[in-house]
Amino acid sequence: MATVVEKIVIVGAGCFGVSTAYHLLKRGFADVTILDRSPILPAPDAASNDINRIVRSSYPDIFYTKLAREAIVAWKNRGEWRDTYQESGVLVLGFSQDDSAYADKAYQNDVALGATLTQVADTEAIRSVFPSNVTTATFENNSGYLNKEGGWADAGQGVAIMIDTLISLGCKVLPGKSVRRITRNHDSKTNGVQCEDGTHYEAATVIIATGSWTPSTFPDVTAGHPSGLSTGYVFVFLVEERRQCVAMIQLNAEETELYKDIPVVIDFTTGFYIFPPTNKGIVKMAMHLAGYTHSNGGISRPRTITDDPIRGLAIPKYNVREIRTQLRRVYPELAEKPFSATRLCWYNDSPDGDWIIGRVPGDPSLILATAGSGHAYKASSFEPCLDAYLTSFLQFLPVIGRLVADTVDGTIDPDVAAKFSIERPYVSADDSRLGTAVAELDLDQLCTPEDLQINS
């Protein structure tokens, strides 16, 4: 357990890192430093720096449902978040009346917690969710529900607001500091980090919050076995960095006005999801699937625009075609427009989809805060709640840091600590991602500008 007078170093200025710093500072920790590899913050290639992320409470695990509902309340505070959050509503498709299905379990949790829901059991009901002048598909043989208490958040803006808040609270936020290694004392306990430029930062506690860069940056802390940590400092295959495929369409002013009131749509039968247009007329969509890895020496590492300015955002041709197919099943007229851009969104996944928050066994000065598994961004609440864990990250952005801060000062609830423990047993898989096989990224199959056209 750390005390408020001790030095804390956080590696990574993404959601986990900035949220953790915020909650530590609010508890009186006065010497908090964030180091990030990127010279620009938020990092241009970070998963948390995106034009939008879904804010939803529809999870089959009621823990996350509670977190998300608390987050939604927090996002509505425009004094803190300005216009970061847009409450468009979230249409969840894939309802099957099977109590074991993802969407069905999520629905039950939403109902149990009093969400404002409307069931849509047939074609007519689903189409009624959309503005009458928007052309949609028939949604044949589909059903679901509309959760009006949800929508989307401008992820990049949310992180930027949080960083500004940290600086105003006295946090030392240092961009362009790529950490080379963790340093340890003669007892093999962590006592700081050393950067690529040779600078050393001492700390009583080091928190690794480097997202999808974690396995490749800290291979001595993250290495491979499905059961969790073994002995020493070897983090045995708890997390794996994977890539999801995103595509975007640019609307003109008239189209933006037409589609501005559509909900976020998530179809758990296909993995396809799509947002309303941003104020710049960009419609983003993606497939929530098992994803890809980009391996070097057996460890997956993100491949981004900073590595390849020309093709760093390209996705495989297969995914371009599949996204267009699924788009046609929701908005057929949009499917007749070219994609304006694609992006590789790199996540750090745990086998069961839960976050990893905890001290490394054998090294109490080293804490891992990682494995966002694609939903770490969804919770944000600046102010503590009566129940310390019924809050939300981006959806869970600042509040996820409350769990890490609880780990730092030793106040974390034992059940919550066990849920996110590095050593927990993995009894179930993350069933939100369709497809079981994670594929290695084939650079020869990445899309070209021609592949983004309508008849590609």
Side-chain angles (χ1 to χ4, degrees), residues 53-58 72 76 85-92 116-117 129-130 145-153 260-266 274-276 331:
R53 287 298 179 89
I54 298 173
V55 176
R56 63 181 171 100
S57 62
S58 301
I72 290 166
K76 294 179 181 181
Y85 172 63
Q86 302 294 321
E87 193 161 76
S88 62
V90 179
L91 176 62
V92 179
T116 305
L117 308 178
V129 169
F130 300 88
Y145 63 96
L146 175 69
N147 188 339
K148 297 180 181 178
E149 300 170 11
W152 59 276
K260 68 181 178 63
D261 294 324
I262 62 175
V264 171
V265 178
I266 310 172
I274 185 167
F275 294 82
Y331 300 116

Side-chain angles (χ1 to χ4, degrees), residues 3 24 46 64 77 110 112 122 149 172 177 218 223 244 270 278 293 331 340 344 366 407 417:
T3 61
L24 289 172
Y64 291 109
N77 185 338
D110 274 334
D122 54 32
E149 300 170 11
K172 295 179 283 294
K177 288 290 184 178
F218 301 103
Q244 297 295 308
T270 63
T278 67
T293 55
Y331 300 116
S340 58
L344 310 174
L366 183 61
T407 302

Side-chain angles (χ1 to χ4, degrees), residues 396-417:
F396 299 111
L397 170 60
V399 92
I400 189 87
R402 183 177 304 165
L403 304 181
V404 187
D406 288 347
T407 302
V408 172
D409 67 17
T411 60
I412 191 165
D413 180 273
D415 290 338
V416 177

Side-chain angles (χ1 to χ4, degrees), residues 94-116:
F95 206 54
S96 66
Q97 303 298 326
D98 176 359
D99 289 346
S100 65
Y102 188 101
D104 296 73
K105 290 187 289 184
Y107 174 80
Q108 292 165 12
N109 287 339
D110 274 334
V111 169
L113 295 179
T116 305

